[in-house]
């Protein structure tokens, strides 16, 4: 049997990407602006929200950083951030010299716990500083508890940066993720649901906000014939070559979402009769996940003592990539000195959780190998 590597999530081209890239070469738009950048922004706006304002950027991390800049986050300010996430959600807080305040998850969506969020805000205010922003994440494509988080944010009038880097194509109550925050963030890194090889976008709630984001992203040039600067600038715009890949990818985004959702169903069906495995699934019909990565929790007590690490090694021996869930930020050496609010939900998810191969390009042959590896591991014939 073919034993080539099965990846967790690898780039999956639709077919027209090179056409747009070639157009860029033919017209000499080999620059961080041009028709592909404009076209890709328009495609994204049409996809997530007709009235949206999208600025294409060099990465999702750049979008989070600019989000903080746009919200006026400065040295010594406090910014609330979901602890259970990829480090790119939190790093930009430190770029601004601000202080991250980490929040635990809840068990239903694995995202920011609204109760722990409110406790944290009350405590930070009582200690003398109201947090400047809340970074909430739709992890693995699963929407966070949007209504509950927004109620708390509105009550204390704190803006939300919605980290939707993993959730393009997901929605909550019929509305696309990326459009709930004061600022939304998308990523098109190589392993995301669509890729531009590297890239991201900032979703702004107004035309003015988008224009300000593009201003900062292009070195903050004042309106003058020479180069004049009154504010700190950044070089964060997306290349017109990469944006060409993005335009091709937008043509297949919905197909990729259904294929990822099929991978989730494959695992949900496989584990339906094992009450020692929980597959991350939508809590109810308000939630629609793109299931960017399918993720499970392994309860060793109900699986003859076998842990998620045992399963990861079994996959590794079969040349199949799987990966522990994100290690919470409050447990990371670089972030552990910052305040944390909550219990041990995020930690427990990390200790028992595993991401399984989820790509939209997995073939039936790959699924067969995954199934066989699981059968051997769980001793099912
Ligand atoms: C990928 C990712 C980012 C950062 O996006 P890049 O484009 O890789 O910079 C931010 N947050 C989360 C949750 C991500 O998964």
């Amino acid at each position: 049997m073919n034993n080539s590597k099965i990846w967790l999530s690898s780039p999956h081209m639709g077919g027209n990407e090179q056409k747009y890239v070639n157009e860029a070469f033919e017209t000499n738009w080999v620059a961080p602006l041009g028709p592909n950048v404009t076209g890709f922004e328009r495609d994204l706006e049409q996809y997530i929200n007709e009235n949206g304002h999208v600025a294409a950027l060099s990465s999702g991390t750049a979008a989070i950083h600019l989000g903080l800049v746009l919200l006026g986050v400065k040295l010594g300010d406090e910014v609330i951030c979901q602890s259970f996430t990829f480090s790119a959600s939190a790093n930009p807080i430190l770029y601004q010299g601000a202080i991250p305040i980490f929040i635990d998850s809840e068990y239903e969506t694995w995202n920011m716990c609204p109760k722990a969020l409110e406790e944290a805000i009350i405590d930070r205010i009582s200690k003398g500083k109201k947090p400047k922003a809340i970074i909430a994440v739709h992890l693995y494509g699963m929407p966070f508890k949007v209504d509950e988080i927004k109620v708390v944010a509105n009550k204390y009038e704190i803006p939300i940066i919605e980290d939707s880097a993993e959730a393009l194509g997901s929605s909550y109550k019929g509305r696309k993720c990326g459009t709930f925050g004061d600022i939304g963030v998308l990523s098109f890194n190589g392993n995301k649901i669509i890729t531009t090889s590297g890239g991201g976008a900032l979703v702004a709630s107004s035309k003015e906000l988008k224009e300000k984001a593009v201003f900062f992203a292009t070195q903050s040039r004042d309106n003058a014939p020479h180069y004049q600067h009154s504010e700190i600038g950044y070089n964060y715009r997306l290349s017109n070559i990469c944006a060409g890949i993005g335009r091709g990818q937008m043509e297949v985004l919905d197909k990729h979402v259904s294929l990822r959702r099929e991978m989730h169903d494959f695992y949900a069906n496989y584990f339906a009769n094992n009450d020692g495995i929980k597959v991350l699934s939508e809590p109810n019909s308000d939630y629609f996940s793109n299931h960017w990565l399918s993720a499970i929790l392994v309860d060793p007590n109900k699986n003859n003592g076998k842990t998620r690490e045992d399963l990861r090694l079994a996959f590794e021996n079969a040349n199949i990539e799987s990966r522990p869930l994100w290690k919470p930020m409050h447990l990371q050496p670089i972030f552990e000195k910052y305040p944390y609010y909550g219990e041990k939900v995020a930690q427990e998810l990390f200790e028992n959780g595993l991401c399984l191969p989820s790509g939209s390009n997995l073939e039936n042959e790959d699924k067969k190998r995954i199934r066989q590896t699981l059968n051997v591991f769980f001793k099912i014939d």
Side-chain angles (χ1 to χ4, degrees):
M1 197 165 77
N2 171 6
N3 194 36
S4 58
K5 177 108 179 180
I6 296 177
W7 299 97
L8 200 64
S9 175
S10 64
H12 184 190
M13 293 300 109
N16 283 333
E17 290 82 0
Q18 270 186 319
K19 185 190 83 172
Y20 293 108
V21 171
N22 288 342
E23 273 173 24
F25 276 83
E26 281 154 17
T27 55
N28 204 30
W29 279 106
V30 185
L33 77 168
N36 282 337
V37 173
T38 316
F40 184 42
E41 288 179 340
R42 198 181 50 229
D43 292 347
L44 287 164
E45 285 165 357
Q46 279 169 0
Y47 185 82
I48 61 169
N49 167 13
E50 292 290 346
N51 310 314
H53 304 276
V54 173
L57 301 176
S58 53
S59 71
T61 311
I64 296 174
H65 188 198
L66 281 193
L68 294 171
V69 172
L70 288 165
L71 294 175
V73 171
K74 296 197 176 71
L75 185 69
D77 285 341
E78 294 189 352
V79 174
I80 284 180
C81 184
Q82 183 165 322
S83 181
F84 188 52
T85 186
F86 175 49
S87 64
S89 305
N91 278 328
I93 302 171
L94 298 192
Y95 302 169
Q96 286 306 96
I99 298 157
I101 309 290
F102 292 112
I103 308 291
D104 200 4
S105 291
E106 35 80 11
Y107 278 115
E108 282 190 314
T109 73
W110 298 4
N111 292 312
M112 186 180 277
C113 172
K115 267 174 58 192
L117 170 65
E118 183 158 22
E119 279 165 29
I121 295 173
I122 292 170
D123 191 54
R124 297 325 294 175
I125 292 174
S126 80
K127 289 186 161 70
K129 261 189 204 168
K130 182 169 126 176
K132 273 285 190 70
I134 297 166
I135 302 176
V137 190
H138 306 295
L139 216 58
Y140 304 120
M142 181 62 69
F144 58 74
K145 295 193 166 182
V146 174
D147 284 349
E148 280 133 290
I149 295 289
K150 285 194 85 158
V151 165
V152 178
N154 290 342
K155 182 169 166 189
Y156 298 93
E157 299 182 323
I158 304 174
I160 295 177
I161 295 181
E162 182 194 1
D163 182 347
S164 201
E166 302 180 359
L168 179 59
S170 299
S171 53
Y172 176 79
K173 293 188 174 172
R175 183 167 154 183
K176 286 280 196 303
C177 289
T179 64
F180 294 106
D182 297 78
I183 284 162
V185 169
L186 302 173
S187 167
F188 318 112
N189 208 332
N191 57 354
K192 297 288 156 74
I193 192 145
I194 64 165
T195 182
T196 58
S197 71
L202 184 147
V203 184
S205 45
S206 72
K207 187 164 165 278
E208 293 69 35
L209 197 62
K210 175 189 164 166
E211 282 167 1
K212 192 77 195 184
V214 171
F215 171 79
F216 285 133
T218 50
Q219 307 288 19
S220 301
R221 277 185 67 190
D222 295 343
N223 192 8
H226 55 275
Y227 277 62
Q228 169 100 3
H229 308 274
S230 325
E231 290 183 88
I232 297 176
Y234 305 86
N235 182 5
Y236 278 170
R237 221 33 183 140
L238 183 66
S239 144
N240 193 57
I241 305 293
C242 298
I245 306 175
R247 289 181 84 181
Q249 290 271 277
M250 286 306 288
E251 296 174 4
V252 291
L253 172 55
D254 274 332
K255 196 174 118 216
H256 287 193
V257 171
S258 354
L259 288 165
R260 298 240 178 196
R261 289 177 54 83
E262 271 178 37
M263 283 311 296
H264 163 269
D265 294 347
F266 167 83
Y267 294 115
N269 290 331
Y270 185 88
F271 292 116
N273 297 318
N274 182 342
D275 69 349
I277 301 284
K278 181 188 158 33
V279 181
L280 175 62
S281 300
E282 288 98 338
N284 59 54
S285 60
D286 288 344
Y287 296 81
F288 179 90
S289 172
N290 67 8
H291 287 299
W292 170 58
L293 292 186
S294 289
I296 58 170
L297 294 181
V298 180
D299 181 349
N301 297 321
K302 293 180 177 167
N303 283 294
N304 300 320
K306 287 180 173 167
T307 64
R308 74 108 155 101
E309 188 55 13
D310 296 329
L311 179 55
R312 193 187 69 76
L313 292 170
F315 273 128
E316 193 172 272
N317 285 333
N319 206 21
I320 297 170
E321 186 185 24
S322 67
R323 188 187 296 156
L325 302 189
W326 300 124
K327 180 172 178 177
M329 293 305 113
H330 73 282
L331 303 175
Q332 297 282 359
I334 183 75
F335 292 122
E336 64 193 6
K337 63 172 179 269
Y338 296 107
Y340 170 73
Y341 292 82
E343 309 291 330
K344 295 202 159 184
V345 179
Q347 182 172 351
E348 218 179 291
L349 293 170
F350 167 63
E351 282 165 3
N352 295 316
L354 195 68
C355 294
L356 305 176
S358 309
S360 45
N361 49 1
L362 293 175
E363 311 272 352
N364 283 332
E365 192 64 22
D366 300 323
K367 288 189 204 169
K368 219 166 109 188
R369 265 176 64 200
I370 293 167
R371 185 192 296 277
Q372 274 169 2
T373 309
L374 288 169
N375 284 348
V376 171
F377 184 78
F378 290 105
K379 298 210 167 46
I380 298 166
D381 14 70

